[in-house]
Amino acid sequence: QVQLVESGGGLVQAGGSLRLSCAASGSMFSIINMGWYRQAPGKQREWVALITSGGVENYADSVRGRFTISRDDAKNTVFLQMNSLKPEDTAVYYCNAYQYHNKLGYNYWGQGTQVTVSS
């Protein structure tokens, strides 16, 4: 089992910045990817960014160039630095960890943190 706890959400004006954190604990072995998803009201959850165990980053087109994902393995924490925020970035942001063990894949989710961008 892996437990994920997000923090850092809040209210910010358009053009501003926020930094989300995701602290992971539990059985951290065989974690392949960690990433961020978001869900806006009335919409499906969408992928935002991920970082592999090897440090390779990937981003959704809608956030590339504005958001940066990073990780601190010593603290088992993943960050999402969000710059140049837009009202359409408003959503609940969820941390995700994907673990592959004994030929099975497991997805773990945090409880989410609200990000609201005002125009």
Side-chain angles (χ1 to χ4, degrees):
Q1 289 287 325
V2 176
Q3 293 79 43
L4 303 172
V5 178
E6 302 101 332
S7 60
L11 173 64
V12 64
Q13 288 188 333
S17 298
L18 282 175
R19 189 191 196 205
L20 305 183
S21 299
C22 172
S25 61
S27 300
M28 295 297 296
F29 61 91
S30 300
I31 296 291
I32 295 177
N33 297 334
M34 292 196 70
W36 292 92
Y37 287 70
R38 66 186 181 186
Q39 187 167 17
K43 295 187 177 181
Q44 290 189 333
R45 188 174 298 189
E46 65 174 359
W47 168 69
V48 174
L50 69 83
I51 186 166
T52 69
S53 57
V56 177
E57 304 165 29
N58 203 358
Y59 300 93
D61 289 343
S62 59
V63 307
R64 186 175 289 113
R66 299 187 298 121
F67 291 10
T68 303
I69 190 170
S70 61
R71 58 194 296 165
D72 183 337
D73 289 338
K75 298 182 179 180
N76 287 334
T77 301
V78 175
F79 305 97
L80 186 68
Q81 177 67 43
M82 305 186 294
N83 298 328
S84 303
L85 282 161
K86 305 175 182 180
E88 51 264 43
D89 294 319
T90 296
V92 178
Y93 282 71
Y94 296 91
C95 181
N96 169 264
Y98 178 72
Q99 183 181 55
Y100 189 74
H101 180 62
N102 286 339
K103 301 182 181 180
L104 292 175
Y106 303 88
N107 269 304
Y108 298 97
W109 298 93
Q111 82 287 352
T113 185
Q114 176 71 47
V115 172
T116 302
V117 184
S118 63
S119 57

